[in-house]
Amino acid sequence: MIESLKRKISDRSIKIGVIGLGYVGLPFAVSFAEQGVEVIGFDIIEEKVNILNNGESYIPDIPNEKLKKVVDDKYFIATTDFSKIDEVDLISICVPTPLRKTKDPDISFIIAARDEIFKYIRKGHVIVLESTTYPGTTEELLIPEIKNKGFEIGNDVFVAFSPERIDPGNEKYTIVNTPKVVGGYSENCSIIVKEIYSIAMNTVVIVGSPATAEMVKLLENTYRAVNIGLVNEIAIICQKLGINTWEVIEAAATKPYGFMPFFPGPGLGGHCIPIDPHYLSWKMRTLNYDAKFIELASQINGEMPEYCFRLLIKGLNGISKSVNKSKILVMGVAYKKNIDDIRESPSLDFIKLLEDYGAEVYFYDPYVKTFNVGKCEYTRISFPDDIEKVGFDAAVIITAHSDVDYSKLMNLQLILDTRNVIKDDFKNVVRL
Ligand SMILES: NC(=O)c1ccc[n+]([C@@H]2O[C@H](COP(=O)([O-])OP(=O)(O)OC[C@H]3O[C@@H](n4cnc5c(N)ncnc54)[C@H](O)[C@@H]3O)[C@@H](O)[C@H]2O)c1
């Protein structure tokens, strides 16, 4: 099988299947299609499939023109028909891995995708799990059943884990120039995945096992969560000492070695940093070990929306106002700058607090037109025109999108800036 796959790689007749066409799966699929490789994208949502087949993209990192070209050239097609798995050689699983309410991993999407794949599995299939998950998932969920079906892994069927490192909104580092880590179940598995991935990606780094590759991803995201937790605590400490946190971090970052700057904020957001470390701490609890750094960072980061809310209360108090009945403008609801993703966004927590305290809440975000918190539906204001019309009591900057002119807020009585975007000459600013 390995020789036949290698021949298909060299003449580009290899076919790629991608299960889950979201923030991760779609860029992955398009990166291969752009290299002249046929890609079939699988999703369970018919509407998404239809949109994509029309050459329209719902992922900002993939502009319509890019998608339309690979659709028109017949290098990319989306489908809900999983029987087409039989037609592809490599199957990349990019389905969600959220947390349950109890903060335990929800791997039901991986299991559902696996069950579909296993209906059509055949000799020559290369299966790569890309969804972020706890160490051991690939070997627990994929390997035993493939063996039970009588396939020899590394000869008939090839299996690996390869963590997705995509950073939505990052124009410098894309799926193509960010090194891709691959941990195959056997040496042959790693070799074949490396050769296929090298069609679309500049650098492929092989590690010794799927579990090692799973752990690489969790180290990367735990590293971020813990360092953000640390710098959030430093922000609280600086506030108590009357020191400007941002000035401290910027000066510390002039050290050319041994220091990497992280910045405080109103809380973690997105599908990765607030979630992934819990996959590791859950796994460790099953082994009777408490992952202490993860829990502490999660506690500090989780308290940040409330900490920032207290700063707002203090600021309003300073101008003899209460949150109750105040008109508050929330600037930014996406979880990070220059993207439209509001999953786990700290803005949603902040808005919930404002609602609970009786504020009249408005928002502006250039990337988000409407969203819901509980039963309330919000529609963005017209910025800056509505600033004067509505007469806000305060603005709270939660997301620091690049293309927003914050100087338009200058005349407000109070601005809570949780991202340090407001220049020094502004008056009435409370900074995190
Ligand atoms: N978004 C990121 O920035 C990012 C970065 C690195 C890693 N990851 C990881 O990648 C994985 C995917 O994340 P995402 O952000 O792309 O999620 P997403 O929600 O944007 O996309 C997932 C897609 O999978 C589809 N889907 C769900 N179940 C399916 C099934 N059984 N078969 C086929 N399709 C199915 C959904 O309809 C959706 O279109 C997660 O494990 C995530 O942690 C995400």
Side-chain angles (χ1 to χ4, degrees):
M1 291 317 318
I2 202 156
E3 288 315 313
S4 145
L5 285 165
K6 282 184 175 175
R7 265 196 306 279
K8 288 182 178 183
I9 295 166
S10 67
D11 67 14
R12 291 288 193 273
S13 63
I14 192 120
K15 272 197 180 184
I16 307 287
V18 181
I19 315 253
L21 299 170
Y23 284 91
V24 163
L26 188 63
F28 181 92
V30 170
S31 69
F32 279 93
E34 283 190 311
Q35 296 304 316
V37 171
E38 273 184 57
V39 180
I40 303 180
F42 300 86
D43 208 288
I44 44 172
I45 300 178
E46 186 105 39
E47 198 190 336
K48 283 190 168 185
V49 163
N50 293 339
I51 292 173
L52 295 175
N53 285 336
N54 270 336
E56 290 163 38
S57 170
Y58 44 75
I59 301 291
D61 284 347
I62 303 294
N64 286 346
E65 315 81 69
K66 212 179 209 194
L67 182 67
K68 195 160 180 344
K69 175 143 187 19
V70 291
V71 170
D72 288 350
D73 293 348
K74 305 214 174 333
Y75 286 121
F76 176 77
I77 186 166
T79 184
T80 53
D81 176 5
F82 284 80
S83 70
K84 289 188 185 303
I85 281 173
D86 183 52
E87 295 174 23
V88 299
D89 300 296
L90 180 133
I91 304 152
S92 163
I93 305 172
C94 305
V95 294
T97 42
L99 289 174
R100 297 188 189 283
K101 281 213 167 75
T102 51
K103 291 207 173 354
D104 288 354
D106 176 359
I107 52 167
S108 60
F109 296 90
I110 301 181
I111 291 173
R114 173 201 70 180
D115 291 348
E116 284 298 332
I117 295 167
F118 283 175
K119 285 186 199 161
Y120 307 102
I121 189 168
R122 56 157 174 79
K123 273 191 179 185
H125 265 155
V126 182
I127 303 172
V128 188
L129 179 59
E130 302 252 348
S131 302
T132 308
T133 182
Y134 60 84
T137 309
T138 308
E139 295 203 23
E140 280 167 28
L141 295 188
L142 299 180
I143 302 297
E145 239 177 291
I146 296 175
K147 285 185 175 169
N148 281 345
K149 285 176 182 290
F151 295 112
E152 195 188 328
I153 301 177
N155 264 330
D156 303 329
V157 167
F158 305 84
V159 180
F161 181 85
S162 178
E164 188 46 64
R165 286 168 152 177
I166 206 157
D167 182 17
N170 191 332
E171 286 171 7
K172 185 172 175 197
Y173 291 109
T174 63
I175 196 160
V176 174
N177 64 358
T178 304
K180 192 92 170 88
V181 172
V182 169
Y185 181 70
S186 70
E187 204 183 341
N188 271 355
C189 297
S190 294
I191 289 170
I192 203 68
V193 175
K194 180 176 178 168
E195 291 203 14
I196 299 172
Y197 278 14
S198 298
I199 296 173
M201 292 148 201
N202 295 353
T203 313
V204 178
V205 180
I206 289 182
V207 295
S209 67
T212 307
E214 287 158 344
M215 189 65 199
V216 168
K217 176 71 185 175
L218 294 183
L219 167 62
E220 289 168 10
N221 283 359
T222 302
Y223 171 81
R224 284 191 66 74
V226 167
N227 278 288
I228 294 168
L230 171 66
V231 83
N232 277 333
E233 185 168 65
I234 293 290
I236 295 169
I237 290 170
C238 284
Q239 201 104 44
K240 287 186 185 297
L241 294 172
I243 296 168
N244 182 326
T245 317
W246 306 89
E247 200 182 344
V248 171
I249 298 168
E250 271 154 33
T254 59
K255 186 178 176 185
Y257 54 90
F259 183 85
M260 184 184 176
F262 284 83
F263 298 96
L268 297 181
H271 192 10
C272 294
I273 314 293
I275 293 174
D276 301 348
H278 290 289
Y279 270 69
L280 187 55
S281 55
W282 171 84
K283 178 68 189 172
M284 295 323 295
R285 279 201 300 281
T286 70
L287 300 172
N288 291 324
Y289 182 83
D290 281 333
K292 300 167 201 67
F293 273 102
I294 294 175
E295 295 306 330
L296 182 58
S298 165
Q299 187 192 335
I300 294 173
N301 293 329
E303 286 168 357
M304 288 314 286
E306 211 144 350
Y307 180 77
C308 292
F309 187 68
R310 286 201 298 276
L311 293 180
L312 175 70
I313 294 177
K314 208 171 152 193
L316 283 170
N317 197 49
I319 52 171
S320 306
K321 287 186 175 174
S322 64
V323 178
N324 193 15
K325 300 214 164 36
S326 280
K327 292 179 178 173
I328 309 290
L329 172 60
V330 173
M331 295 293 290
V333 288
Y335 80 85
K336 68 170 183 175
K337 69 176 180 181
N338 305 339
I339 62 162
D340 66 347
D341 192 352
I342 65 165
R343 289 178 297 179
E344 315 286 328
S345 172
S347 278
L348 306 182
D349 296 323
F350 202 92
I351 289 171
K352 182 79 184 49
L353 287 165
L354 287 169
E355 283 176 357
D356 290 348
Y357 277 72
E360 240 180 78
V361 185
Y362 300 79
F363 91 95
Y364 176 72
D365 188 312
Y367 294 86
V368 182
K369 281 189 191 135
T370 58
F371 68 95
N372 297 304
V373 175
K375 284 184 186 152
C376 288
E377 183 171 331
Y378 289 96
T379 304
R380 77 174 169 210
I381 64 153
S382 161
F383 183 83
D385 304 354
D386 283 346
I387 300 256
E388 289 229 341
K389 263 188 233 161
V390 180
F392 296 108
D393 296 290
V396 183
I397 299 166
I398 303 270
T399 319
H401 292 303
S402 307
D403 40 5
V404 174
D405 182 359
Y406 293 101
S407 72
K408 303 289 183 203
L409 299 171
M410 208 156 179
N411 292 329
L412 292 185
Q413 257 190 301
L414 177 66
I415 303 168
L416 170 59
D417 182 4
T418 69
R419 298 289 185 183
N420 197 34
V421 293
I422 295 289
K423 302 285 166 280
D424 288 344
D425 52 351
F426 271 46
K427 49 187 169 52
N428 308 331
V429 176
V430 175
R431 259 176 249 277
L432 173 61

